[in-house]
Amino acid sequence: MLKNKDLAEMVPALLAWFDANARILPWRENSDPYRVWVSEIMLQQTRVETVKPYFDRFMRALPEVQSLAAAPLDQVLKLWEGLGYYSRARNLHRAAQVIVEQHGGVFPQTPEEIQALPGVGDYTAGAIGSICFGLKTPAVDGNVLRVMARLTGFTEPVQTQAAKKHFTCLLAEIYPENRADAVTQSLMELGAMVCVPNGAPRCGECPVRHLCEAYHIEKTTEIPVKLPKKPRRKEQKTVFLLYCRGKLALCRRAESGLLGGLWELPNTAEFLSPAQARDWLIVQGLRCISIKAGRTGKHIFTHIEWEMQSFVCECAEESSAFFWADEQDLQQNLTLPTAFQILLQ
Ligand code: SF4
């Protein structure tokens, strides 16, 4: 197992490598906490290439924390449309309001205050603290856990709170007085570009190979050790595309839970036969001019998988049970999660 003294040796090698190889990313233009915060929230569970256009669009529309705080939630969700995990956008919006109302619009600078913001956990607080304010607060996510587990030859599962705490403490001890920002970013960069999550790590390009325990004991494919994944729960749904004179029926999901508070296409939590689908429409008070089978689709969330069938119906009149969205609503105002968009004709 790598000793702390040796671990400290990795810092200069890592920083020299980072200085020469860091990718140019839009959120690295400066260390403005608003930009770093938004990017870190977007990057959770999402690839860098996917985030880039979303980040640019978000910054153009809401360039500072005051504009985010003042924006209607629907605008924030629309800017997030397609990124998934929408609770991130809701928390971002709430946290911006907290920053404006409780901190006079100035981003808080202590770890405790940063972490008290809605949606900000240990990792994001560590990233903002070190990148923006030079604090010795490591940001330990899955990438950093993998890198650190390999470097130190850690043979326990890495997805536990104990492992996270262990590596957070180890790193806090070796953060230098200056350049905390670069240490955080270089670990992230190493995890993204060299000590990669999928496939074999690129040890030949690694600046800290000489210190790496997993490399020396030839266990880079066995480490990190992971807990077995829980199987996803499968749910079947029948989704209705209800049209009336060019408008599409939508309803709101419950505030809490999966896709909480977002718009959705009306649906049932089971597969319906065509006869059952007609009965469902009658119960909703809808008179249908035509009904036909629509697209099928599958959408995978972290812990749940939706298997969907759909019916496309032309309705004789609108029913007050739904919101009837026109083209402009769908394009500009309302957020319809990708899970439902894949069924649209
Ligand atoms: Fe990862 Fe290989 Fe570098 Fe070790 S030597 S940190 S396994 S890339």
Side-chain angles (χ1 to χ4, degrees):
M1 189 89 148
L2 199 64
K3 305 261 180 342
N4 255 20
K5 177 177 77 59
D6 302 329
L7 203 55
E9 275 179 37
M10 83 172 179
V11 172
L14 203 53
L15 292 181
W17 171 81
F18 182 68
D19 288 343
N21 294 283
R23 285 170 295 174
I24 295 169
L25 298 172
W27 43 90
R28 285 188 182 158
E29 273 172 22
N30 56 47
S31 54
D32 172 4
Y34 176 64
R35 291 172 68 87
V36 171
W37 170 50
V38 171
S39 71
E40 287 299 338
I41 300 292
M42 283 187 171
L43 285 162
Q44 289 169 10
Q45 323 263 3
T46 314
R47 293 170 51 247
V48 165
E49 290 309 315
T50 306
V51 165
K52 277 183 187 171
Y54 278 93
F55 180 80
D56 288 339
R57 201 159 52 109
F58 199 95
M59 284 300 145
R60 273 200 304 278
L62 306 170
E64 48 200 20
V65 72
Q66 285 80 1
S67 41
L68 173 56
L73 177 60
D74 275 340
Q75 184 190 358
V76 180
L77 293 172
K78 190 70 187 167
L79 289 164
W80 209 268
E81 190 176 55
L83 264 184
Y85 303 98
Y86 289 88
S87 58
R88 296 181 296 172
R90 292 170 171 277
N91 280 330
L92 205 61
H93 188 234
R94 281 222 320 272
Q97 291 171 338
V98 169
I99 293 170
V100 168
E101 287 161 16
Q102 296 179 18
H103 301 277
V106 178
F107 211 97
Q109 299 195 13
T110 67
E112 297 74 25
E113 284 175 323
I114 299 171
Q115 209 161 344
L117 296 172
V120 174
D122 295 342
Y123 167 77
T124 310
I128 296 170
S130 54
I131 295 172
C132 308
F133 305 119
L135 303 176
K136 290 161 74 167
T137 52
V140 179
D141 68 350
N143 278 332
V144 174
L145 281 173
R146 179 178 60 259
V147 171
M148 292 303 295
R150 285 175 172 160
L151 271 170
T152 60
F154 189 75
T155 51
E156 302 290 318
V158 286
Q159 299 117 310
T160 63
Q161 278 307 318
K164 209 174 202 181
K165 202 169 166 196
H166 168 68
F167 288 120
T168 303
C169 293
L170 270 190
L171 283 169
E173 281 182 33
I174 63 159
Y175 263 53
E177 282 306 324
N178 54 10
R179 304 215 68 195
D181 57 336
V183 174
T184 291
Q185 293 187 85
S186 60
L187 282 167
M188 291 174 177
E189 196 77 353
L190 192 73
M193 304 306 290
V194 179
C195 199
V196 290
N198 301 312
R202 300 174 188 142
C203 302
E205 302 164 32
C206 182
V208 289
R209 186 182 57 203
H210 59 294
L211 295 168
C212 179
E213 189 74 9
Y215 177 77
H216 287 303
I217 60 173
E218 298 183 2
K219 291 224 183 293
T220 57
T221 49
E222 287 97 324
I223 299 175
V225 174
K226 291 188 182 162
L227 294 169
K229 273 190 187 165
K230 279 192 199 154
R232 283 196 192 94
R233 192 173 78 237
K234 292 197 176 178
E235 293 182 358
Q236 294 184 325
K237 288 192 174 294
T238 298
V239 179
F240 289 87
L241 282 76
L242 306 172
Y243 290 97
C244 184
R245 291 183 277 278
K247 291 186 178 178
L248 178 67
L250 300 179
C251 41
R252 282 266 196 202
R253 290 181 65 78
E255 278 297 320
S256 60
L258 187 69
L259 305 176
L262 295 182
W263 292 100
E264 67 176 353
L265 295 171
N267 62 82
T268 65
E270 62 199 325
F271 276 168
L272 300 182
S273 67
Q276 289 171 320
R278 281 197 183 84
D279 290 346
W280 183 87
L281 291 165
I282 292 167
V283 171
Q284 306 307 311
L286 286 166
R287 203 156 52 83
C288 266
I289 301 165
S290 68
I291 176 167
K292 61 178 183 181
R295 289 182 178 169
T296 58
K298 191 190 274 189
H299 191 80
I300 294 174
F301 301 94
T302 309
H303 304 297
I304 302 173
E305 181 176 323
W306 280 359
E307 198 185 337
M308 296 174 285
Q309 64 170 21
S310 67
F311 288 99
V312 183
C313 316
E314 187 61 38
C315 302
E317 62 272 322
E318 295 177 8
S319 145
S320 60
F322 304 107
F323 177 79
W324 296 82
D326 61 22
E327 195 58 34
Q328 188 179 353
D329 289 327
L330 290 169
Q331 294 298 326
Q332 293 173 20
N333 305 327
L334 305 180
T335 306
L336 191 62
T338 311
F340 294 103
Q341 290 202 13
I342 57 178
L343 298 176
L344 290 179
Q345 304 285 306

mmCIF file of all heavy atoms in Angstrom, residues 146-147 150-151 190 194-196 201-204 206-210 212-215 220, ligand 1:
data_model
loop_
_atom_site.group_PDB
_atom_site.id
_atom_site.type_symbol
_atom_site.label_atom_id
_atom_site.label_comp_id
_atom_site.label_asym_id
_atom_site.label_seq_id
_atom_site.Cartn_x
_atom_site.Cartn_y
_atom_site.Cartn_z
ATOM 1 N N ARG A 146 -11.639 6.034 -8.214
ATOM 2 C CA ARG A 146 -10.959 5.029 -9.042
ATOM 3 C C ARG A 146 -9.455 5.284 -9.091
ATOM 4 O O ARG A 146 -8.641 4.379 -8.878
ATOM 5 C CB ARG A 146 -11.551 5.040 -10.464
ATOM 6 C CG ARG A 146 -10.910 4.051 -11.397
ATOM 7 C CD ARG A 146 -11.564 4.076 -12.765
ATOM 8 N NE ARG A 146 -11.481 5.378 -13.421
ATOM 9 C CZ ARG A 146 -12.455 6.274 -13.480
ATOM 10 N NH1 ARG A 146 -13.616 6.032 -12.948
ATOM 11 N NH2 ARG A 146 -12.269 7.443 -14.077
ATOM 12 N N VAL A 147 -9.088 6.533 -9.353
ATOM 13 C CA VAL A 147 -7.669 6.891 -9.437
ATOM 14 C C VAL A 147 -6.971 6.596 -8.110
ATOM 15 O O VAL A 147 -5.911 5.953 -8.070
ATOM 16 C CB VAL A 147 -7.507 8.397 -9.784
ATOM 17 C CG1 VAL A 147 -6.059 8.828 -9.665
ATOM 18 C CG2 VAL A 147 -8.031 8.675 -11.186
ATOM 19 N N ARG A 150 -6.579 2.858 -7.278
ATOM 20 C CA ARG A 150 -5.494 2.227 -8.040
ATOM 21 C C ARG A 150 -4.128 2.678 -7.530
ATOM 22 O O ARG A 150 -3.226 1.860 -7.340
ATOM 23 C CB ARG A 150 -5.661 2.548 -9.529
ATOM 24 C CG ARG A 150 -6.781 1.734 -10.177
ATOM 25 C CD ARG A 150 -7.010 2.143 -11.597
ATOM 26 N NE ARG A 150 -7.938 1.246 -12.277
ATOM 27 C CZ ARG A 150 -8.601 1.565 -13.381
ATOM 28 N NH1 ARG A 150 -8.444 2.757 -13.942
ATOM 29 N NH2 ARG A 150 -9.416 0.690 -13.941
ATOM 30 N N LEU A 151 -4.025 3.984 -7.310
ATOM 31 C CA LEU A 151 -2.727 4.502 -6.841
ATOM 32 C C LEU A 151 -2.297 3.860 -5.529
ATOM 33 O O LEU A 151 -1.127 3.547 -5.335
ATOM 34 C CB LEU A 151 -2.831 6.013 -6.630
ATOM 35 C CG LEU A 151 -2.514 6.906 -7.819
ATOM 36 C CD1 LEU A 151 -2.902 8.339 -7.517
ATOM 37 C CD2 LEU A 151 -1.031 6.820 -8.169
ATOM 38 N N LEU A 190 -7.072 13.359 -14.796
ATOM 39 C CA LEU A 190 -6.407 12.057 -14.889
ATOM 40 C C LEU A 190 -7.458 10.943 -14.971
ATOM 41 O O LEU A 190 -7.331 10.001 -15.777
ATOM 42 C CB LEU A 190 -5.495 11.831 -13.682
ATOM 43 C CG LEU A 190 -4.525 10.659 -13.798
ATOM 44 C CD1 LEU A 190 -3.401 10.986 -14.777
ATOM 45 C CD2 LEU A 190 -3.934 10.282 -12.441
ATOM 46 N N VAL A 194 -6.880 9.433 -18.582
ATOM 47 C CA VAL A 194 -5.802 8.429 -18.511
ATOM 48 C C VAL A 194 -6.229 7.205 -17.693
ATOM 49 O O VAL A 194 -6.227 6.077 -18.184
ATOM 50 C CB VAL A 194 -4.519 9.061 -17.914
ATOM 51 C CG1 VAL A 194 -3.416 8.009 -17.813
ATOM 52 C CG2 VAL A 194 -4.056 10.230 -18.772
ATOM 53 N N CYS A 195 -6.619 7.446 -16.470
ATOM 54 C CA CYS A 195 -7.028 6.331 -15.595
ATOM 55 C C CYS A 195 -8.540 6.150 -15.783
ATOM 56 O O CYS A 195 -9.331 6.393 -14.890
ATOM 57 C CB CYS A 195 -6.679 6.677 -14.147
ATOM 58 S SG CYS A 195 -6.608 5.235 -13.086
ATOM 59 N N VAL A 196 -8.911 5.739 -16.976
ATOM 60 C CA VAL A 196 -10.296 5.857 -17.460
ATOM 61 C C VAL A 196 -11.239 4.825 -16.819
ATOM 62 O O VAL A 196 -10.804 3.771 -16.368
ATOM 63 C CB VAL A 196 -10.320 5.718 -19.005
ATOM 64 C CG1 VAL A 196 -9.695 6.915 -19.670
ATOM 65 C CG2 VAL A 196 -9.598 4.443 -19.438
ATOM 66 N N PRO A 201 -6.869 1.154 -18.141
ATOM 67 C CA PRO A 201 -6.254 2.472 -17.951
ATOM 68 C C PRO A 201 -5.039 2.630 -18.872
ATOM 69 O O PRO A 201 -4.399 1.639 -19.216
ATOM 70 C CB PRO A 201 -5.831 2.451 -16.481
ATOM 71 C CG PRO A 201 -5.752 1.014 -16.106
ATOM 72 C CD PRO A 201 -6.750 0.292 -16.953
ATOM 73 N N ARG A 202 -4.768 3.896 -19.258
ATOM 74 C CA ARG A 202 -3.647 4.140 -20.176
ATOM 75 C C ARG A 202 -2.375 4.422 -19.377
ATOM 76 O O ARG A 202 -1.869 5.557 -19.349
ATOM 77 C CB ARG A 202 -3.999 5.318 -21.086
ATOM 78 C CG ARG A 202 -5.240 5.024 -21.886
ATOM 79 C CD ARG A 202 -5.705 6.228 -22.679
ATOM 80 N NE ARG A 202 -7.016 5.914 -23.272
ATOM 81 C CZ ARG A 202 -8.015 6.775 -23.381
ATOM 82 N NH1 ARG A 202 -7.881 8.012 -22.962
ATOM 83 N NH2 ARG A 202 -9.154 6.401 -23.911
ATOM 84 N N CYS A 203 -1.898 3.380 -18.722
ATOM 85 C CA CYS A 203 -0.784 3.560 -17.791
ATOM 86 C C CYS A 203 0.471 4.085 -18.495
ATOM 87 O O CYS A 203 1.271 4.800 -17.883
ATOM 88 C CB CYS A 203 -0.486 2.246 -17.078
ATOM 89 S SG CYS A 203 -1.912 1.604 -16.176
ATOM 90 N N GLY A 204 0.633 3.758 -19.774
ATOM 91 C CA GLY A 204 1.804 4.231 -20.514
ATOM 92 C C GLY A 204 1.872 5.746 -20.582
ATOM 93 O O GLY A 204 2.943 6.326 -20.753
ATOM 94 N N CYS A 206 0.624 7.720 -18.120
ATOM 95 C CA CYS A 206 0.286 8.243 -16.789
ATOM 96 C C CYS A 206 1.483 8.913 -16.107
ATOM 97 O O CYS A 206 2.556 8.307 -15.977
ATOM 98 C CB CYS A 206 -0.231 7.106 -15.921
ATOM 99 S SG CYS A 206 -0.725 7.672 -14.288
ATOM 100 N N PRO A 207 1.292 10.141 -15.625
ATOM 101 C CA PRO A 207 2.398 10.860 -14.989
ATOM 102 C C PRO A 207 2.759 10.330 -13.597
ATOM 103 O O PRO A 207 3.807 10.685 -13.065
ATOM 104 C CB PRO A 207 1.855 12.292 -14.885
ATOM 105 C CG PRO A 207 0.377 12.129 -14.809
ATOM 106 C CD PRO A 207 0.046 10.941 -15.653
ATOM 107 N N VAL A 208 1.887 9.502 -13.002
ATOM 108 C CA VAL A 208 2.178 9.008 -11.647
ATOM 109 C C VAL A 208 2.311 7.481 -11.626
ATOM 110 O O VAL A 208 2.171 6.858 -10.571
ATOM 111 C CB VAL A 208 1.097 9.497 -10.643
ATOM 112 C CG1 VAL A 208 1.240 10.987 -10.395
ATOM 113 C CG2 VAL A 208 -0.311 9.191 -11.135
ATOM 114 N N ARG A 209 2.621 6.930 -12.786
ATOM 115 C CA ARG A 209 2.753 5.471 -12.891
ATOM 116 C C ARG A 209 3.815 4.931 -11.926
ATOM 117 O O ARG A 209 3.648 3.891 -11.312
ATOM 118 C CB ARG A 209 3.123 5.123 -14.344
ATOM 119 C CG ARG A 209 3.157 3.665 -14.647
ATOM 120 C CD ARG A 209 3.570 3.438 -16.069
ATOM 121 N NE ARG A 209 4.868 4.047 -16.325
ATOM 122 C CZ ARG A 209 5.306 4.410 -17.523
ATOM 123 N NH1 ARG A 209 4.542 4.258 -18.578
ATOM 124 N NH2 ARG A 209 6.501 4.937 -17.675
ATOM 125 N N HIS A 210 4.909 5.689 -11.781
ATOM 126 C CA HIS A 210 5.996 5.223 -10.923
ATOM 127 C C HIS A 210 5.569 5.065 -9.467
ATOM 128 O O HIS A 210 6.237 4.395 -8.684
ATOM 129 C CB HIS A 210 7.201 6.171 -11.032
ATOM 130 C CG HIS A 210 6.891 7.595 -10.645
ATOM 131 N ND1 HIS A 210 6.028 8.386 -11.359
ATOM 132 C CD2 HIS A 210 7.316 8.345 -9.604
ATOM 133 C CE1 HIS A 210 5.942 9.579 -10.781
ATOM 134 N NE2 HIS A 210 6.719 9.579 -9.712
ATOM 135 N N CYS A 212 2.309 4.166 -8.661
ATOM 136 C CA CYS A 212 1.005 3.494 -8.635
ATOM 137 C C CYS A 212 1.131 2.037 -8.203
ATOM 138 O O CYS A 212 1.767 1.216 -8.854
ATOM 139 C CB CYS A 212 0.342 3.574 -10.008
ATOM 140 S SG CYS A 212 -1.254 2.748 -10.040
ATOM 141 N N GLU A 213 0.440 1.744 -7.086
ATOM 142 C CA GLU A 213 0.491 0.399 -6.520
ATOM 143 C C GLU A 213 -0.191 -0.628 -7.441
ATOM 144 O O GLU A 213 0.359 -1.696 -7.697
ATOM 145 C CB GLU A 213 -0.216 0.434 -5.150
ATOM 146 C CG GLU A 213 -0.082 -0.803 -4.335
ATOM 147 C CD GLU A 213 1.311 -0.981 -3.724
ATOM 148 O OE1 GLU A 213 2.125 -0.043 -3.804
ATOM 149 O OE2 GLU A 213 1.572 -2.065 -3.186
ATOM 150 N N ALA A 214 -1.361 -0.290 -7.944
ATOM 151 C CA ALA A 214 -2.081 -1.247 -8.807
ATOM 152 C C ALA A 214 -1.250 -1.575 -10.045
ATOM 153 O O ALA A 214 -1.238 -2.716 -10.511
ATOM 154 C CB ALA A 214 -3.430 -0.668 -9.208
ATOM 155 N N TYR A 215 -0.550 -0.586 -10.557
ATOM 156 C CA TYR A 215 0.298 -0.815 -11.726
ATOM 157 C C TYR A 215 1.439 -1.764 -11.364
ATOM 158 O O TYR A 215 1.717 -2.720 -12.093
ATOM 159 C CB TYR A 215 0.845 0.533 -12.232
ATOM 160 C CG TYR A 215 1.797 0.401 -13.391
ATOM 161 C CD1 TYR A 215 1.330 0.149 -14.669
ATOM 162 C CD2 TYR A 215 3.174 0.531 -13.194
ATOM 163 C CE1 TYR A 215 2.205 0.017 -15.742
ATOM 164 C CE2 TYR A 215 4.054 0.409 -14.257
ATOM 165 C CZ TYR A 215 3.565 0.159 -15.531
ATOM 166 O OH TYR A 215 4.428 0.026 -16.579
ATOM 167 N N THR A 220 -4.449 -3.505 -12.189
ATOM 168 C CA THR A 220 -5.231 -2.327 -12.621
ATOM 169 C C THR A 220 -6.612 -2.710 -13.126
ATOM 170 O O THR A 220 -7.508 -1.865 -13.171
ATOM 171 C CB THR A 220 -4.494 -1.547 -13.732
ATOM 172 O OG1 THR A 220 -4.250 -2.442 -14.812
ATOM 173 C CG2 THR A 220 -3.194 -0.954 -13.241
HETATM 174 FE FE1 SF4 B 1 -4.260 4.640 -13.281
HETATM 175 FE FE2 SF4 B 1 -2.388 3.242 -14.577
HETATM 176 FE FE3 SF4 B 1 -1.862 5.700 -13.710
HETATM 177 FE FE4 SF4 B 1 -2.138 3.718 -11.999
HETATM 178 S S1 SF4 B 1 -0.568 3.933 -13.547
HETATM 179 S S2 SF4 B 1 -3.038 5.753 -11.811
HETATM 180 S S3 SF4 B 1 -3.747 2.515 -12.975
HETATM 181 S S4 SF4 B 1 -3.381 5.136 -15.269
#
